Amino acid sequence: MVKRTIVALPGDGIGAIVLEQAVRVLNAAGFDAEYEYGDIGWEFWKKEGNPLPQRTIDLIEKHKIALFGAITSKPNDEAKAELDPSLQGKGFSYSSPIVGLRQYFNLDICVRPCKSYKGNPLNFIRRGKGNTIEEPPVDVVIFRQNTECLYSGVEWTNPPENVYKALLSHPKFRENFGNVPVDELSVSTRIFTRKATTRILMAAFDYAKKYGYKSVTLCEKPNVIRETSGLMWKLAKEIQKNSFPEIRLLNTNIDAQMMWLTKNPEDYGVIVAGNMFGDIASDGFAGLIGGLGFACSAQFSERGVAVFEPTHGSAPKYAGFKESIVNPIAMIESACMMLDYLGEKKICANIRRAIAEVIEEGKVKTYDMMKMQGKPEVIQNGAASTVRMTDEIIAKLKK
Ligand code: NAI
Ligand code: MG
């Protein structure tokens, strides 16, 4: 059989460190694949004026599947100042390569599972009846529309005349903003399309069905944002009625959902939302299960490209440590999502069980799990290094 090829995109800072650990675990668990490393991130911006070179896009196009660490983004003036002198003043302008990847491959479906591990000292606890302490098990999977909404970049400050005229044609705009000088206006548009909205809803329902979740919760705000959230709610009801009558459809507003987060997080299963509210909801739920050291994600496109990555960034302040201290679990979990996608059930279950055992046993913990401040000394003070945590997970794999 031809070996599978995975495009490995280390990126910047701790991205490269955690990616290497995930590959170690995949190899140790017997996942049979080759890795082709792709260039992405700050180094390539500085050297070439492009943090996402065409050769990297071609590589992903060829193999359709990538494991990605994290990249560093900086504001445009800083970015320009760090460009190689030979490239300065030549019109290069920085834009985030991860956003670039999402747009280029139209990775419109983002999946972010937030499942608590038993024994994780970072698990959310709350007060129960009679002043008891409860630790509700959280098992939520957030489906975030990844390409539209407020993140589409269709926005203006001091909008051009044709845009301003169009805005004026709306009675609410005339009434509430008609007297504001145009150069004092900033407008960001919230665009939802029927196609992309249907795709994220279908993905959420399919997943709920496949993995036995009883409900899908639409987390938007259709009572106020009537056109975009309203479209999503209408389509959700149709899809549920026509294709998934056995799954309950719930409707929560993002603001209320954030309050219920700490009241009854165990009551939610699959949550689906547009880009902005999906981003908020997934960070909120990630906080209940241990935060960025545990938050993994997958992104899919209609034409079969899939990218798996931890939610965290490149954490530059920890990137230069002689011995890395960051938690590799978010990245290893992202690799597990890749195994799920490839149908490698046994290998995936083996890795997840190994992670669960390490956490439940509680002997090996990274600094975040010990609630320490991230400094090199944490290792002398009993925290496990990134490599040590990975070694422990590997040691728990069943041969
Ligand atoms: P960050 O996620 O890199 O780090 C924030 C803080 O979270 C860290 O200082 C650390 O305390 C903690 N943290 C992150 N990963 C951890 C891990 N694996 N284990 C333990 N603790 C961890 O976010 P920040 O500092 O806002 O951004 C740093 C850079 O990363 C920026 O340039 C930003 O643009 C970029 N970024 C890239 C992302 C991506 O590649 N998808 C996503 C988010 C930020
Ligand atoms: Mg975010």
Side-chain angles (χ1 to χ4, degrees):
M1 216 178 88
V2 191
K3 259 201 183 180
R4 198 173 261 140
T5 303
I6 309 293
V7 177
L9 304 171
D12 302 308
I14 67 162
I17 298 169
V18 292
L19 180 75
E20 190 189 328
Q21 303 311 309
V23 172
R24 283 182 62 212
V25 174
L26 288 167
N27 285 335
F31 176 58
D32 193 21
E34 272 168 3
Y35 298 87
E36 271 206 50
Y37 282 78
D39 298 336
I40 190 168
W42 202 248
E43 192 189 328
F44 303 97
W45 161 252
K46 288 201 296 190
K47 276 200 304 217
E48 302 174 25
N50 183 1
L52 179 59
Q54 184 62 38
R55 60 184 179 278
T56 304
I57 289 178
D58 295 343
L59 201 58
I60 301 169
E61 190 73 78
K62 182 167 169 207
H63 298 294
K64 306 276 188 275
I65 184 163
L67 255 186
F68 171 54
I71 50 85
T72 297
S73 272
K74 296 187 191 177
N76 228 324
D77 47 342
E78 278 177 56
K80 283 196 174 134
E82 289 190 36
L83 256 186
D84 188 272
S86 69
L87 299 175
Q88 292 209 10
K90 296 211 169 130
F92 290 101
S93 138
Y94 180 82
S95 65
S96 160
I98 180 64
V99 176
L101 267 187
R102 285 176 194 151
Q103 283 165 351
Y104 185 89
F105 290 105
N106 197 12
L107 296 161
D108 64 330
I109 290 174
C110 175
V111 187
R112 293 182 167 178
C114 297
K115 188 174 162 119
S116 49
Y117 278 109
K118 213 169 146 198
N120 185 349
L122 299 176
N123 281 347
F124 166 68
I125 54 169
R126 73 178 166 218
R127 229 177 264 287
K129 272 192 192 141
N131 234 0
T132 53
I133 298 291
E134 298 172 342
E135 188 177 312
V138 177
D139 181 2
V140 166
V141 185
I142 289 124
F143 279 74
R144 167 189 175 193
Q145 205 295 325
N146 216 22
T147 48
E148 303 192 333
C149 192
L150 286 168
Y151 294 59
S152 59
V154 183
E155 47 187 5
W156 303 268
T157 288
N158 189 7
E161 197 185 337
N162 51 351
V163 174
Y164 184 66
K165 268 197 185 146
L167 290 168
L168 272 178
S169 72
H170 197 294
K172 288 243 166 76
F173 184 88
R174 271 200 312 277
E175 216 174 283
N176 298 318
F177 306 101
N179 293 329
V180 180
V182 61
D183 62 353
E184 290 184 19
L185 278 174
S186 287
V187 180
S188 301
T189 59
R190 191 177 203 263
I191 300 173
F192 281 39
T193 64
R194 173 178 282 264
K195 180 175 177 191
T197 307
T198 303
R199 272 180 48 78
I200 192 73
L201 288 164
M202 283 300 290
F205 275 104
D206 278 336
Y207 187 96
K209 186 169 179 174
K210 184 168 174 200
Y211 292 100
Y213 288 88
K214 307 252 173 312
S215 66
V216 168
T217 303
L218 176 70
C219 179
E220 276 283 323
K221 190 127 181 152
N223 56 332
V224 177
I225 315 175
R226 288 170 188 265
E227 298 306 326
T228 46
S229 291
L231 170 74
M232 202 164 189
W233 176 228
K234 180 174 157 273
L235 292 173
K237 283 187 290 191
E238 281 173 22
I239 290 170
Q240 189 268 345
K241 188 164 159 251
N242 296 336
S243 309
F244 301 91
E246 72 283 11
I247 295 170
R248 263 184 88 194
L249 172 64
L250 307 170
N251 177 21
T252 60
N253 285 338
I254 177 69
D255 46 347
Q257 183 73 70
M258 288 298 98
M259 180 187 59
W260 291 328
L261 200 65
T262 52
K263 286 198 148 178
N264 59 340
E266 68 272 44
D267 291 348
Y268 300 95
V270 171
I271 292 185
V272 59
N275 207 339
M276 174 93 250
F277 296 160
D279 201 9
I280 294 172
S282 58
D283 271 17
F285 276 99
L288 303 180
I289 59 126
L292 288 173
F294 293 86
C296 54
S297 80
Q299 306 171 89
F300 304 102
S301 80
E302 189 176 12
R303 55 193 184 91
V305 175
V307 178
F308 302 86
E309 59 158 326
T311 303
H312 65 72
S314 62
K317 61 182 178 190
Y318 303 153
F321 288 14
K322 218 168 110 211
E323 197 167 10
S324 172
I325 62 164
V326 296
N327 191 343
I329 291 177
M331 181 79 234
I332 298 170
E333 276 284 349
S334 304
C336 286
M337 293 185 82
M338 178 183 81
L339 294 173
D340 262 340
Y341 170 73
L342 294 171
E344 294 282 4
K345 284 193 185 139
K346 263 172 109 176
I347 299 174
C348 184
N350 192 12
I351 299 174
R352 287 210 173 108
R353 186 199 37 74
I355 298 173
E357 271 181 36
V358 173
I359 295 173
E360 188 164 7
E361 204 174 79
K363 282 199 275 199
V364 177
K365 294 188 286 248
T366 42
Y367 84 97
D368 52 329
M369 298 170 76
M370 299 178 79
K371 304 182 194 215
M372 292 173 164
Q373 260 205 341
K375 302 219 166 88
E377 305 86 84
V378 296
I379 295 186
Q380 279 112 277
N381 297 331
S385 69
T386 309
V387 171
R388 170 90 182 83
M389 173 55 97
T390 311
D391 289 345
E392 192 65 15
I393 293 168
I394 290 173
K396 291 267 191 300
L397 290 171
K398 292 232 160 72
K399 292 287 164 319

